[in-house]
Amino acid sequence: MAVEAKMIDIIVEQLSVDKEKVVPGASFVDDLGADSLDLVELIMAMEEEFDVEIPDEEAEKIATVQNAIDFVAKIQ
Amino acid sequence: MKRRVVVTGIGLVTPLGTGTEKTWESLVNGRGGIGPITRFDATGHASQIAAEVTDFKTEDWFEKKQSKNLDLFVQYAIAAAELAWQNSGLSITDENRERVGVITGCGMGGLPTIEEYHQIMVERGPRKITPFFIPRVIPNMPSGHISMRLGSKGPNLTQTTACAAGTHAVGEAFRHIAYGDCDIAVTGGTESVICPLAVGGFSAMKALSTRNDDPESASRPFDKDRDGFIISEGSGMIILEELESAKKRGAKIYAEVIGYGQTSDAYHIAAPPEDGEGGARCMAAALRDAKLNPEDVDYINAHGTSTPLNDKCETQAIKTVFKEHAHKLAVSSTKSMTGHMLGAAGGIESAFTALTLDTGIIPPTVNLHNPSPECDLDYVPLTAREANPMVAISNSFGFGGTNGVVVMKKFSS
């Protein structure tokens, strides 16, 4: 739960979107308006916040809010 | 057959105020915008004074997601371009979209962000560099962003000729329209590098004033006590338009651009030749392009940086070109109030030149109490003058020995 709440805050901050839009199934590109550079920066913000390292090949699989939450929960 | 080109819009973001009215009102009343540096802690720097833009509110112009990845030099440029575009009354349509260009000048780009991310990289490693680092710092981002905001699809160019960049941008835009590459151009300059590396770097060259205890009188072009320029920031954009296009829509015309000159000193990385011969050839080239005689010129908006060398050499250059007439025409340095906006200077000063022709008022050279013996022209000292000049030129000279001069005249059909 802590991961989820923090993750939503990061996404709201990084992508400047309304909190209501950041639902588990939301796609960063299709629903939250991110481009490829936004995604790189979002992954960097996650690394910073959760003190983890996300390799590029893993980062490519993170397409939705739920993907991000699951990934961080798994490796933390 | 070259086409005629006129100025139909002006937008300014300067230390004298955001908006043309605020800046022009300060300028003709001789009020400057120079004070202590607040952008960073300047303790330990030889020069601790600057002209900072103080009334610009990022949130008035950009959503947060946009602004966090836009350096100030880009934000100022976009704001100035939008003000100029609104002022012109133009709108982008599917018919004109590909005929509208954006040609801007910028001397340095995003140096404050380069400083910031260099430190992050050294302390925390290359993985901490934001993917927006490069798009934030490259000097041609202003023209890119302006064209994206407007939806203009004509030429999209940036001049990076140091302190002459803004003037070269205006001159190139004039040529582009005259020769038919586009019908309308957003042009001018932008800069924002009030940061430790730029202030320290210019200081190391002994280029900046160290009159830290009296910032308001520090920029004193042509005065015997001048001791360097004042670093400044902001953006000046103008709309250039092919005459028939402007006439057809009944546009307000500030002035007509009639000539452009460009030369190289081929002499030194920073200093002009003693006799200012590169600047002199540049003024002569611009007058040839405008098909004018030296006696036709009534006003020169000087480069006038307030460095000992520039003001002496520029005065000599003016005398070389204008001979006896040099003592009859008016010369002033608006940098006495704005400070030196570097790559933005030529954009701002082109706008001031157009406003001078439109209003008939020549802005003064403030702080000029005791001219140097070698500076013996009429510099319109201390107070503005109503003189109704018909023809004016604007000079810009940049490090690397690059020179640019634009000629304008009061519009008559």
Side-chain angles (χ1 to χ4, degrees), chain B residues 383-405:
Chain B
T383 51
R385 182 184 301 166
E386 286 198 40
N388 204 26
M390 291 292 131
V391 174
I393 71 173
S394 179
N395 288 348
S396 291
F397 311 133
F399 285 172
T402 176
N403 310 302
V405 173

Side-chain angles (χ1 to χ4, degrees), chain A residues 13-16 33 37-38 40-41 44 47-48 53-54, chain B residues 64-66 68-69 117 124 127-132 135:
Chain A
E13 170 69 21
Q14 286 294 318
L15 302 181
S16 302
L37 299 183
D38 293 325
V40 176
E41 200 174 50
M44 287 172 67
E47 290 183 326
E48 192 74 25
E53 194 160 309
I54 305 175
Chain B
K64 193 172 161 234
K65 190 185 173 197
Q66 289 178 305
K68 70 178 177 144
N69 291 321
Y117 274 91
R124 307 186 57 206
R127 282 176 55 84
K128 298 296 178 189
I129 301 170
T130 170
F132 293 100

Side-chain angles (χ1 to χ4, degrees), chain B residues 7 9-12 24 27 164-174 187-189 235-240 254-257 259-260 299 301-302 334-335 341 343-358 392-396 404-409:
Chain B
V7 181
I10 295 175
L12 305 178
W24 184 248
L27 203 73
T167 294
H168 283 140
V170 171
E172 293 300 324
F174 160 62
T187 185
S235 178
M237 295 290 170
I238 59 177
I239 307 300
L240 295 188
Y254 289 93
E256 180 171 0
V257 184
Y260 170 46
Y299 170 61
N301 186 299
T334 43
K335 289 187 182 79
M341 294 165 74
I348 286 288
E349 289 158 18
S350 291
F352 291 163
T353 302
L355 286 166
T356 295
L357 291 166
D358 182 51
I393 71 173
S394 179
N395 288 348
S396 291
V405 173
V406 167
V407 187
M408 296 189 197
K409 76 170 184 184

Side-chain angles (χ1 to χ4, degrees), chain A residues 1-75:
Chain A
M1 199 55 208
V3 170
E4 184 173 338
K6 268 194 208 168
M7 185 67 78
I8 289 169
D9 286 347
I10 293 170
I11 295 165
V12 166
E13 170 69 21
Q14 286 294 318
L15 302 181
S16 302
V17 288
D18 292 336
K19 207 165 182 171
E20 303 83 72
K21 286 191 175 167
V22 188
V23 293
S27 151
F28 295 123
V29 174
D30 297 333
D31 301 317
L32 302 178
D35 64 20
S36 62
L37 299 183
D38 293 325
L39 282 181
V40 176
E41 200 174 50
L42 181 60
I43 297 290
M44 287 172 67
M46 291 177 195
E47 290 183 326
E48 192 74 25
E49 179 66 34
F50 299 108
D51 195 23
V52 295
E53 194 160 309
I54 305 175
D56 286 352
E57 56 274 22
E58 293 297 331
E60 282 165 21
K61 296 178 198 157
I62 299 174
T64 67
V65 175
Q66 192 65 51
N67 292 159
I69 293 166
D70 291 348
F71 181 81
V72 171
K74 189 176 75 187
I75 67 165

Side-chain angles (χ1 to χ4, degrees), chain B residues 123-176:
Chain B
E123 289 172 359
R124 307 186 57 206
R127 282 176 55 84
K128 298 296 178 189
I129 301 170
T130 170
F132 293 100
F133 172 71
I134 299 294
R136 272 174 64 172
V137 305
I138 53 181
N140 68 313
M141 267 301 155
S143 61
H145 277 288
I146 291 164
S147 87
M148 282 181 261
R149 291 269 285 214
L150 288 179
S152 62
K153 294 193 169 181
N156 172 351
L157 297 172
T158 295
Q159 304 289 319
T160 53
T161 45
C163 303
T167 294
H168 283 140
V170 171
E172 293 300 324
F174 160 62
R175 286 272 158 88
H176 274 67

Side-chain angles (χ1 to χ4, degrees), chain B residues 300-380:
Chain B
I300 299 176
N301 186 299
H303 190 52
T305 57
S306 187
T307 62
L309 210 48
N310 175 83
D311 299 355
K312 173 174 165 247
C313 297
E314 186 173 10
T315 297
Q316 184 56 50
I318 291 169
K319 289 198 253 186
T320 302
V321 175
F322 294 93
K323 306 207 165 58
E324 272 307 297
H325 185 65
H327 296 277
K328 294 178 190 149
L329 52 73
V331 180
S332 73
S333 170
T334 43
K335 289 187 182 79
S336 61
M337 291 166 281
T338 63
H340 190 348
M341 294 165 74
L342 309 172
I348 286 288
E349 289 158 18
S350 291
F352 291 163
T353 302
L355 286 166
T356 295
L357 291 166
D358 182 51
T359 62
I361 301 171
I362 296 177
T365 305
V366 302
N367 298 319
L368 176 53
H369 298 286
N370 299 298
S372 275
E374 70 273 18
C375 296
D376 55 352
L377 303 178
D378 171 9
Y379 302 105
V380 194

